[in-house]
Each structure stands twice: as C-alpha cells, then as structure tokens.
C-alpha cells in the first residue's frame, strides 16, 4: 500500500514539474472552451468569461482544477500536432 502511494505521489510531483512548462502555452486562439473535452462545467464558464491568454493565466483563476489545466494542455498539444 505504501509503495502504491509513493508511486502516486511521484506521478503527482512529475506532473507539477511538467506544469511549470505550461507558462508559455498559448490559449488565445480558443474561442469556446466547450470544445475542450473532459473539463468541468464550472471551468468552462469561467474560462469563457475571462479568456486567459496563456495556460499560466488560466491556472490563476479561482475554481479551475489542476486536472482541467492538464486537459487543456493535452488539447492544445493535440491541435498543434494536426
């Protein structure tokens, strides 16, 4: 059980370290956050109201979950690959 918790914590630490790279990810081109899959309805509403220019700005909005930011990052990465 302890090993499983340590592995989970290590994954969270890696995610946080990777999140530091989110600073320069551009979100200005997203016109409607409803198109981003898997993010919470509250986050969609707040993001559509505030329209952050970067993922870093989005991370500072009250009520935006870390998981929503991760989904945003992956969404942007997938669009850039196309």
């Amino acid at each position: 059980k302890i090993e499983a918790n340590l592995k989970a914590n290590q994954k969270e630490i890696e995610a946080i370290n990777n999140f530091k790279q989110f600073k320069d990810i551009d979100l200005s081109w997203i016109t409607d956050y409803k198109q981003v899959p898997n993010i919470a309805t509250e986050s969609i509403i707040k993001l559509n109201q505030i329209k952050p220019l970067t993922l870093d700005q989005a991370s500072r909005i009250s009520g935006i979950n870390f998981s929503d930011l991760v989904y945003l990052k992956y969404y942007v990465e997938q669009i850039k690959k196309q």
Side-chain angles (χ1 to χ4, degrees):
K1 221 176 186 183
I2 294 173
E3 288 180 23
N5 287 338
L6 288 175
K7 287 181 183 180
N9 287 342
Q10 184 62 33
K11 287 182 182 182
E12 287 179 19
I13 290 170
E14 288 175 15
I16 290 169
N17 288 335
N18 288 336
F19 191 72
K20 291 177 183 177
Q21 300 171 359
F22 289 7
K23 188 175 184 179
D24 297 326
I25 295 178
D26 179 37
L27 301 178
S28 63
W29 57 273
I30 300 176
T31 57
D32 186 2
Y33 285 89
K34 287 181 185 175
Q35 64 187 334
V36 181
N38 301 319
I39 63 174
T41 304
E42 178 184 2
S43 295
I44 292 170
I45 293 167
K46 289 186 176 195
L47 291 166
N48 279 330
Q49 287 174 345
I50 297 171
K51 302 281 188 196
L53 299 178
T54 64
L55 199 55
D56 184 51
Q57 288 178 353
S59 72
R60 298 167 195 265
I61 299 170
S62 174
I64 304 296
N65 300 319
F66 182 75
S67 60
D68 294 330
L69 296 169
V70 172
Y71 287 127
L72 272 170
K73 178 185 181 284
Y74 291 128
Y75 176 76
V76 169
E77 288 175 348
Q78 293 302 314
I79 296 298
K80 286 183 179 180
K81 286 181 183 179
Q82 293 178 357

